Amino acid sequence: MNSKKRTSIFSHFKRRDVKRFSIFMTIAFVFLIFSKLTNDYRQSIKLKIDVNDLAEEFVIKNDSLNSIDVLVEAKGIVLVPFIFKDYETINIDANSDITIGTDAIVFDVQKNKFLIANQLGSSYKILTIKPDTLAIPYSKRASKYVPLLLNETINYAPGFDIKGNFTFSIDSIKIVGAEERIQEINALETQKLNLNNVNTNIDETLELVDVEGVDMFPSSVKVKAEVKRFTEGKIEVPVTLINKPEDVVINYFPKTVSLSYYVDLESFNLVTASDFLVECDFSQIDEKQTYLEPKISKKPDFIKRVSLKQKRIDFIKL
């Protein structure tokens, strides 16, 4: 019985010793960390230069070049944030702190050491700064208007199609950016318009495809199109002979050709043979050729598609 009691007392003190030891270790660790954080350390940090109030006509080419390396001395606790971030930002005034060269913005780092020190704060002691002078490449901002291209994949329901063409809410897009970048761009493209089984009018808003380093005004457009029910028609059209020498007499046949065309139902009854012109160019044949190739040289704007059933016109010289 006494043995069990002694074991219980021993276990109790043992647990208390372990607990006491853990507390001591925790306190010691806290003091160790605190002492480390209050010690002075030297560390190289990156400072990103942000130019404020820069005129709109200037565009900085490469932001990654807008930085300087600084060796500082500071308390450990002050340097802790640099474990989680790559750089600190220093703001400079375009009107007083820089010089604008022919192709670069020049910042005299050594001359403005006090400005950098003031923004870093008294917790940092600057030991060295590199480079002595920072050259930031720039381009002049330019603008122009460019046409818009529709990127679309549209499947229409059977018997339906677009009447006329797609229309945009704006004819052209204003682009603004570095002059050499702007010169490379001749058109802008919309995001892809995907539609299936379409049998009603199209009215969609599309964003434009982003172009790096270029601002677009506006950045989205409305796209519209009239969708109608279509049908196929056929018609006989006279053949016209062109570019025949006056001293050449020929007889050709057939004198008319059959055309098939695709048109919306509302316009079907408006189609006449006089709306089309089928021509054979005599100057396009060689000496031994005995046939002419008919080509459609005129059709109504509201006709969607048109094709010739007759691919050749035979002729003989008289």
Side-chain angles (χ1 to χ4, degrees), residues 29 47 91 106 169 172 180 183 186 210 234 248 290 298:
F29 180 74
L47 301 181
N91 295 298
V106 180
S169 57
S172 56
E180 60 269 24
Q183 290 175 352
N186 297 314
D210 289 333
K234 292 182 181 180
V248 175
T290 59
K298 188 185 83 168

Side-chain angles (χ1 to χ4, degrees), residues 152-271:
E152 52 88 8
T153 299
I154 300 176
N155 295 313
Y156 297 93
F160 287 85
D161 210 325
I162 178 177
K163 181 179 180 180
N165 299 309
F166 288 95
T167 60
F168 294 114
S169 57
I170 187 169
D171 292 335
S172 56
I173 302 296
K174 183 180 181 180
I175 57 175
V176 180
E179 188 172 8
E180 60 269 24
R181 186 72 181 97
I182 293 299
Q183 290 175 352
E184 298 172 353
I185 302 172
N186 297 314
L188 291 177
E189 194 175 67
T190 67
Q191 297 286 353
K192 189 70 173 285
L193 175 62
N194 284 303
L195 298 173
N196 287 306
N197 202 37
V198 176
N199 59 8
T200 58
N201 291 341
I202 297 170
D203 189 349
E204 302 284 340
T205 299
L206 296 177
E207 297 292 324
L208 304 186
V209 175
D210 289 333
V211 179
E212 186 176 357
V214 174
D215 295 323
M216 297 173 286
F217 305 95
S219 60
S220 64
V221 293
K222 278 188 172 294
V223 181
K224 293 184 178 183
E226 190 177 13
V227 176
K228 295 289 186 180
R229 188 179 290 278
F230 275 68
T231 188
E232 188 175 74
K234 292 182 181 180
I235 197 167
E236 287 290 322
V237 178
V239 175
T240 301
L241 186 63
I242 61 173
N243 295 324
K244 182 183 70 66
E246 292 184 3
D247 60 345
V248 175
V249 178
I250 68 169
N251 188 19
Y252 62 91
F253 48 89
K255 297 292 192 295
T256 63
V257 290
S258 178
L259 297 183
S260 63
Y261 56 89
Y262 198 54
V263 66
D264 65 283
L265 283 176
E266 294 177 359
S267 304
F268 182 78
N269 292 328
L270 301 177
V271 180

Side-chain angles (χ1 to χ4, degrees), residues 33-231:
I33 295 298
F34 182 76
S35 66
K36 292 290 185 182
L37 292 177
T38 54
N39 287 340
D40 288 331
Y41 294 92
R42 291 185 176 187
Q43 181 173 324
S44 179
I45 62 175
K46 187 179 290 292
L47 301 181
K48 184 176 179 182
I49 304 302
D50 191 2
V51 185
N52 294 333
D53 297 327
L54 187 64
E56 288 187 1
E57 64 178 301
F58 298 104
V59 181
I60 292 175
K61 286 185 178 180
N62 191 344
D63 283 340
S64 64
L65 300 178
N66 306 0
S67 63
I68 57 178
D69 294 315
V70 181
L71 179 63
V72 298
E73 185 175 272
K75 301 294 183 184
I77 193 168
V78 176
L79 296 172
V80 167
F82 286 95
I83 299 174
F84 307 100
K85 62 181 180 179
D86 297 328
Y87 59 86
E88 185 67 66
T89 299
I90 299 296
N91 295 298
I92 62 175
D93 191 341
N95 299 309
S96 58
D97 301 329
I98 63 171
T99 302
I100 297 179
T102 55
D103 56 3
I105 296 167
V106 180
F107 176 58
D108 191 328
V109 178
Q110 289 296 334
K111 180 181 176 181
N112 290 281
K113 187 175 178 180
F114 72 95
L115 181 152
I116 298 169
N118 286 342
Q119 291 196 36
L120 274 179
S122 58
S123 299
Y124 297 89
K125 179 182 178 181
I126 296 177
L127 302 177
T128 61
I129 301 180
K130 294 180 180 180
D132 293 337
T133 302
L134 184 65
I136 307 170
Y138 74 83
S139 294
K140 284 194 173 182
R141 189 180 293 267
S143 66
K144 71 176 183 179
Y145 287 86
V146 295
L148 196 55
L149 303 177
L150 177 62
N151 183 7
E152 52 88 8
T153 299
I154 300 176
N155 295 313
Y156 297 93
F160 287 85
D161 210 325
I162 178 177
K163 181 179 180 180
N165 299 309
F166 288 95
T167 60
F168 294 114
S169 57
I170 187 169
D171 292 335
S172 56
I173 302 296
K174 183 180 181 180
I175 57 175
V176 180
E179 188 172 8
E180 60 269 24
R181 186 72 181 97
I182 293 299
Q183 290 175 352
E184 298 172 353
I185 302 172
N186 297 314
L188 291 177
E189 194 175 67
T190 67
Q191 297 286 353
K192 189 70 173 285
L193 175 62
N194 284 303
L195 298 173
N196 287 306
N197 202 37
V198 176
N199 59 8
T200 58
N201 291 341
I202 297 170
D203 189 349
E204 302 284 340
T205 299
L206 296 177
E207 297 292 324
L208 304 186
V209 175
D210 289 333
V211 179
E212 186 176 357
V214 174
D215 295 323
M216 297 173 286
F217 305 95
S219 60
S220 64
V221 293
K222 278 188 172 294
V223 181
K224 293 184 178 183
E226 190 177 13
V227 176
K228 295 289 186 180
R229 188 179 290 278
F230 275 68
T231 188

